[in-house]
Amino acid sequence: MPLLVTTVSEFRQTLHAARRSGKTIGLVPTMGALHEGHLSLVRASRAECGFTAVTIYVNPTQFGPHEDFAQYPRTLESDLTLLSGLADVVFAPRDEEVYPPGFSTWVEVGSVAKPLEGVCRPGHFRGVATIVLKLFTMAWPDVAYFGQKDYQQALVIRRMAIDLNLPLTIRVCPIVREPDGLAMSSRNRYLAPDERQRATVLYQSLTQAANLVAQGETNASRITEAMRRTIQAANPKQIDYVAIADPETLEPVETIRGRTVALLAVRIGKTRLIDNMILEPP
């Protein structure tokens, strides 16, 4: 089992000792309920760094008032078992350790946070950027690992690191998928069996977009309309967005002339799922 610490001071002392012994520090921030997607990040850190720290914290400030904060799965014991032999330390703090009484300082994020998730989840990226910056200053890692599934989040964090001159590398690792293509997510466990089957439509629509681009289609609207028709056939509760955008700025693209990214957010039953895929024209 990895060492479990619950206070900022313990976490800092542990990482300071590792750094003093000459080890590079890899950090994998998570909200727990770990799956193979998370573990792929931990393995990447273990392969590149001498010491791997995983944080497990369901951050309240990135959830909206009607979102699933109370229901979000909390599975610390099984998470620790999964991390055995992979992580050197796990930091699982209490709320009061992260947000002391009177807390009132926030990271305001810029233009890359405004579209897509920024529209659907107001305040979400302010909470994400704030907790990630706090974790960075607690750990001061050499490398921090994030997954491509949360594509916009990775862009927001990378922008924050550049803008604030943070002395670390942001590593974004590929999406890990189930055999049927569904992107691994802690929220997948919310899905009823029929919903789980219908959720594969996200990957199907993204693959459809990639195929259309490979065949020479350059009109983004035609591609997103085809994706929407595919998704609607699975009877989703709601389509929050289907978009094709610049992969660095998330500005909408009308005509595909180079590398772009397709992104979507769809509600299957009560579960909101996101996914994305890089599109490469021939």
Side-chain angles (χ1 to χ4, degrees):
M1 286 284 194
L3 174 67
L4 174 65
V5 299
T6 59
T7 68
V8 174
S9 61
E10 289 176 303
F11 190 44
R12 283 180 170 150
Q13 288 168 11
T14 302
L15 295 184
H16 179 64
R19 192 175 293 106
R20 198 170 53 229
S21 68
K23 295 178 180 177
T24 55
I25 307 296
L27 179 70
V28 184
T30 82
M31 293 205 300
L34 301 183
H35 51 70
E36 186 55 37
H38 296 110
L39 298 182
S40 71
L41 305 181
V42 181
R43 292 191 186 99
S45 173
R46 191 165 183 83
E48 294 181 354
C49 300
F51 192 91
T52 293
V54 176
T55 65
I56 295 177
Y57 179 63
V58 183
N59 174 42
T61 67
Q62 68 190 68
F63 288 80
H66 303 295
E67 294 184 350
D68 59 339
F69 174 70
Q71 292 77 35
Y72 198 88
R74 292 159 170 84
T75 57
L76 181 59
E77 288 305 317
S78 60
D79 290 347
L80 291 172
T81 299
L82 288 172
L83 291 170
S84 182
L86 294 176
D88 295 292
V89 64
V90 173
F91 178 47
R94 297 178 299 277
D95 286 342
E96 57 269 25
E97 190 71 20
V98 178
Y99 296 105
F103 180 87
S104 60
T105 302
W106 301 94
V107 177
E108 291 295 340
V109 290
S111 59
V112 76
K114 296 191 184 308
L116 306 174
E117 294 295 291
V119 173
C120 297
R121 304 182 69 187
H124 169 67
F125 284 127
R126 183 179 83 151
V128 168
T130 300
I131 185 60
V132 170
L133 181 60
K134 287 173 72 67
L135 293 173
F136 285 173
T137 59
M138 293 172 193
W140 288 121
D142 297 286
V143 189
Y145 296 82
F146 297 87
Q148 185 191 316
K149 185 183 77 68
D150 296 289
Y151 190 94
Q152 189 173 9
Q153 172 181 278
L155 288 182
V156 167
I157 292 167
R158 182 174 281 156
R159 184 75 259 166
M160 177 181 72
I162 293 169
D163 290 350
L164 300 183
N165 303 107
L166 301 179
L168 76 164
T169 298
I170 304 296
R171 187 88 72 234
V172 180
C173 298
I175 297 171
V176 178
R177 299 185 179 278
E178 301 285 358
D180 59 8
L182 182 66
M184 289 192 177
S185 168
S186 299
R187 289 186 169 95
N188 289 352
R189 66 185 68 197
Y190 296 161
L191 296 166
D194 70 303
E195 294 171 343
R196 170 64 182 78
Q197 191 281 324
R198 288 190 285 129
T200 59
V201 76
L202 277 74
Y203 180 66
Q204 291 165 15
S205 69
L206 290 167
T207 302
Q208 178 184 27
N211 289 338
L212 287 169
V213 170
Q215 292 162 15
E217 179 62 75
T218 60
N219 186 294
S221 293
R222 282 199 287 266
I223 296 171
T224 56
E225 281 306 310
M227 294 172 69
R228 283 181 175 274
R229 287 194 296 271
T230 297
I231 296 167
Q232 288 287 8
N235 192 29
K237 182 177 181 181
Q238 181 176 320
I239 300 176
D240 282 357
Y241 58 79
V242 176
I244 294 177
D246 182 281
E248 298 300 325
T249 66
L250 295 187
E251 290 288 328
V253 169
E254 294 181 1
T255 303
I256 298 173
R257 296 189 175 90
R259 189 171 183 266
T260 58
V261 59
L263 309 102
L264 45 75
V266 179
R267 296 178 188 271
I268 304 291
K270 295 181 179 179
T271 306
R272 185 176 188 272
L273 302 172
I274 63 173
D275 203 346
N276 66 85
M277 185 176 288
I278 297 295
L279 306 179
E280 301 273 7

